[in-house]
Amino acid sequence: MSRTDAATANVTADIGATEYQTDYQAGQDNVNPFGLEMHNPVFFISAALTIAFVILTLLFPESANSGLEATKAWTLQYFDWFFVISSNIVLLFCVAIAASPLGKIRLGGAEAKVEFGTLSWIAMLFSAGIGIGMVFYGSAEPMAYYTDWGGTPLNVEPRTPEAQRLALGATVFHWGLTPWAIYAVIGLALAFFAFNKGLPLTIRSAFYPLLGERIWGWPGHFVDILAVIATLFGLATSLGFGAQQAATGLSFLFGVEASLMAQLLLIAVITGLAIVSVVRGMNGGIKLLSNINMVLAACLLAFVFIAGPSLAILTGFGTAMLSYAEYAIPLSDWTSREDKGWYHGWTIFYWAWWVSWSPFVGMFIARISKGRTIREFLSVVLIVPVIVAIIWFTTFGVTAIEQVKAGIGQLPGGITEAPLVLFQMLENMPFPYLASSLAILLLIVFFVTSSDSGSLVIDAITAGGRTDAPVAQRIFWAILQGLVAAALLIGGGAGALGAMQAGTIASGLPFTLVLLVCCYSLFKGLMSEFAQNKKQ
């Protein structure tokens, strides 16, 4: 028996439903130069498209930036409604599944056992999902909405009590239920079809109820390639944000210019650290780093809460929760928006960003969620992030806004650069250098975790669903992620933030359609499983 045959026996789902029986073996379409596991054609097309983007961007940075911005403008003009409607549908779908009898289904079967403890499971969810973004936007986003940096949500009058309420509510809106519903659908689909139906752990498997054996052909290839490209751009955006903020923090601490070269060097160094994590494997790399992330994040959060305006922060928790509940529906409305600039620059970017991250985060949380019931899976993945978002963004956002209101430091003059806000806020608190150093360390560890887990997921997709591909392939994808982030920074020039947003929106659009179809396919699969369980 060949190495592939031994590793992946004939995949026939043990569900008693003939429509899920298949002779396909995970990795059977792979080619094996030098002992590698490269799916033909997903690996080669994905790698070729990504490398071509990097080379063309480096050779023609101005043209690349213009092309990205033009694509972004076209997408926002014609498809802003599509992002919002799709996100709303996905959220309602998740709530309905969790509340229904389908929520009793256990991922992996009735006898499946969990592989990770609850705390480590939650830690890995956050480290992979939104870690860098929460550090980057923790202070900057609420303050931006409060001070009218790029518009205000629902055109509220800036620097007013109502602006503060809406700033907190809109921030939680962007980081709460909706993004995690997007992650949850992909994660649940992957986990269910892999652990319950015996299909390979790759995006195409989620469409077996609709496409049948055709998922092993070009329809499946297309879905997987879209997932890889969306994931690479979503990750590259986050890595670019992390590099910008880490460089800004080092500039604040040591006077080193936060130049493009400094950001590129940071990407190179942290990609190297990610490779070390890749070599150490899941337990010695991602799990360990995720737990470190949670400790560092908790320390920074506790410091800001204690050293900051603690009473105002405590009051802000309730304000953020009530404001989120009050404004969630108006902020989800895609018709007759008078705050178009803010709506496009923030909400649509976020929805596209979450969609582009969904293959990555979804597959990652699928891999670590075996043994959970669907209700437990959806409850934790949806509810816990809302609680964390309220605590995190209220603590950092209220602290920054109170400094603005009191005329303390540089923040009252408004935002000059988003990556700088966190350090300008910490500058006016006790032990500014120690706190800023902790923030930079947290960013770096989040950076490494995201790169490592991202390469793990992309490698699984491009290895035909095999999860035991050689480490060298994960190293390849970790390096490629760093190159895409570097290309976006170089291509964007002074407007690097806009270039990264443009790349995310462009790559997120086609995968949004995939996400909607996935909901229907998942529902069909769950109904089949539920009916089979009732017979037993």
Side-chain angles (χ1 to χ4, degrees):
M1 182 177 285
S2 71
R3 175 169 170 263
T4 299
D5 292 338
T8 56
N10 186 18
V11 178
T12 302
D14 184 20
I15 63 169
T18 57
E19 64 267 30
Y20 288 93
Q21 293 179 350
T22 176
D23 292 328
Y24 186 85
Q25 298 173 352
Q28 75 174 35
D29 293 329
N30 292 0
V31 294
N32 311 105
F34 309 108
L36 300 177
E37 292 287 346
M38 300 176 175
H39 185 278
N40 182 26
V42 173
F43 182 98
F44 300 101
I45 294 178
S46 301
L49 289 173
T50 306
I51 292 169
F53 170 80
V54 171
I55 292 173
L56 291 173
T57 301
L58 296 179
L59 291 176
F60 310 104
E62 293 183 3
S63 298
N65 189 35
S66 298
L68 285 171
E69 288 296 335
T71 304
K72 173 185 173 183
W74 178 81
T75 303
L76 292 177
Q77 181 177 354
Y78 294 106
F79 291 100
D80 55 351
W81 60 272
F82 183 60
F83 282 112
V84 177
I85 291 176
S86 300
S87 301
N88 293 343
I89 290 172
V90 169
L91 175 56
L92 293 174
F93 175 80
C94 287
V95 173
I97 293 297
S100 75
L102 299 176
K104 297 178 181 179
I105 296 172
R106 186 173 298 277
L107 298 175
E111 304 301 321
K113 304 297 182 183
V114 298
E115 296 179 349
F116 300 97
T118 301
L119 288 179
S120 289
W121 180 47
I122 293 173
M124 286 190 281
L125 292 181
F126 278 95
S127 295
I130 55 177
I132 291 176
M134 287 181 69
V135 178
F136 188 92
Y137 282 116
S139 304
E141 186 172 347
M143 183 182 159
Y145 301 165
Y146 178 72
T147 59
D148 191 13
W149 189 68
T152 60
L154 304 178
N155 274 349
V156 67
E157 183 70 24
R159 299 182 186 244
T160 61
E162 184 62 19
Q164 181 169 347
R165 289 186 71 251
L166 198 45
L168 295 175
T171 302
V172 176
F173 171 71
H174 286 151
W175 293 82
L177 288 171
T178 303
W180 285 92
I182 292 170
Y183 295 162
V185 162
I186 297 295
L188 179 57
L190 290 169
F192 174 74
F193 287 108
F195 301 142
N196 294 66
K197 304 297 187 184
L199 299 178
L201 189 64
T202 184
I203 302 296
R204 70 177 73 203
S205 295
F207 297 89
Y208 196 92
L210 300 180
L211 298 175
E213 291 295 301
R214 286 175 294 171
I215 68 169
W216 314 124
W218 274 104
H221 301 337
F222 181 70
V223 168
D224 279 351
I225 291 167
L226 271 184
V228 172
I229 299 302
T231 300
L232 279 169
F233 273 92
L235 277 168
T237 298
S238 296
L239 301 183
F241 284 166
Q244 282 188 327
Q245 192 165 39
T248 301
L250 291 172
S251 175
F252 169 79
L253 285 175
F254 305 111
V256 179
E257 183 183 358
S259 62
L260 175 61
M261 182 57 66
Q263 294 172 37
L264 295 177
L265 285 174
L266 270 171
I267 288 176
V269 169
I270 297 174
T271 299
L273 293 174
I275 291 172
V276 174
S277 179
V278 164
V279 172
R280 289 177 59 87
M282 175 74 84
N283 287 315
I286 295 173
K287 181 181 177 181
L288 175 63
L289 289 174
S290 297
N291 290 332
I292 293 172
N293 284 337
M294 295 301 285
V295 172
L296 293 177
C299 289
L300 184 61
L301 179 69
F303 169 78
V304 174
F305 176 79
I306 294 169
S310 304
L311 184 58
I313 292 171
L314 284 173
T315 305
F317 292 148
T319 301
M321 191 180 305
L322 292 173
S323 180
Y324 178 39
E326 178 181 355
Y327 290 109
I329 292 178
L331 290 169
S332 299
D333 182 13
W334 64 94
T335 63
S336 305
R337 293 293 292 253
E338 296 180 357
D339 56 345
K340 279 283 188 182
W342 180 88
Y343 167 65
H344 282 167
W346 291 96
T347 300
I348 303 303
F349 161 65
Y350 271 129
W351 287 180
W353 195 13
W354 304 142
V355 169
S356 68
W357 266 60
S358 63
F360 153 51
V361 181
M363 183 173 287
F364 184 73
I365 63 177
R367 286 196 64 175
I368 63 176
S369 297
K370 186 176 181 179
R372 310 282 175 180
T373 66
I374 288 176
R375 184 167 294 129
E376 179 187 12
F377 175 92
L378 290 174
S379 297
V380 171
V381 172
L382 290 179
I383 295 173
V384 173
V386 175
I387 297 171
V388 173
I390 289 172
I391 294 171
W392 184 273
F393 286 102
T394 299
T395 301
F396 285 82
V398 167
T399 302
I401 289 172
E402 289 299 318
Q403 289 186 9
V404 172
K405 291 160 65 176
I408 298 173
Q410 301 180 57
L411 293 182
I415 297 177
T416 53
E417 298 178 65
L420 195 56
V421 174
L422 174 63
F423 302 106
Q424 289 177 331
M425 182 193 80
L426 294 174
E427 183 180 23
N428 303 306
M429 302 178 73
F431 314 110
Y433 288 97
L434 181 61
S436 295
S437 299
L438 177 60
I440 293 171
L441 179 60
L442 179 60
L443 273 169
I444 290 173
V445 180
F446 269 135
F447 199 149
V448 173
T449 310
S450 295
S451 180
D452 183 3
S453 47
S455 62
L456 175 77
V457 166
I458 294 172
D459 184 43
I461 298 173
T462 57
R466 290 181 63 102
T467 56
D468 61 344
V471 172
Q473 288 180 216
R474 286 173 61 189
I475 292 174
F476 169 79
W477 290 112
I479 293 171
L480 209 52
Q481 289 170 46
L483 288 175
V484 173
L488 287 171
L489 286 173
I490 293 170
L497 184 62
M500 289 186 286
Q501 290 178 337
T504 298
I505 290 172
S507 63
L509 177 61
F511 204 79
T512 303
L513 179 60
V514 172
L515 188 69
L516 290 177
V517 178
C518 181
C519 289
Y520 178 61
S521 184
L522 173 60
F523 177 73
K524 288 194 67 175
L526 291 175
M527 288 299 294
S528 168
E529 178 89 349
F530 184 72
Q532 183 65 27
N533 289 345
K534 287 184 68 175
K535 294 178 183 178
Q536 296 176 351

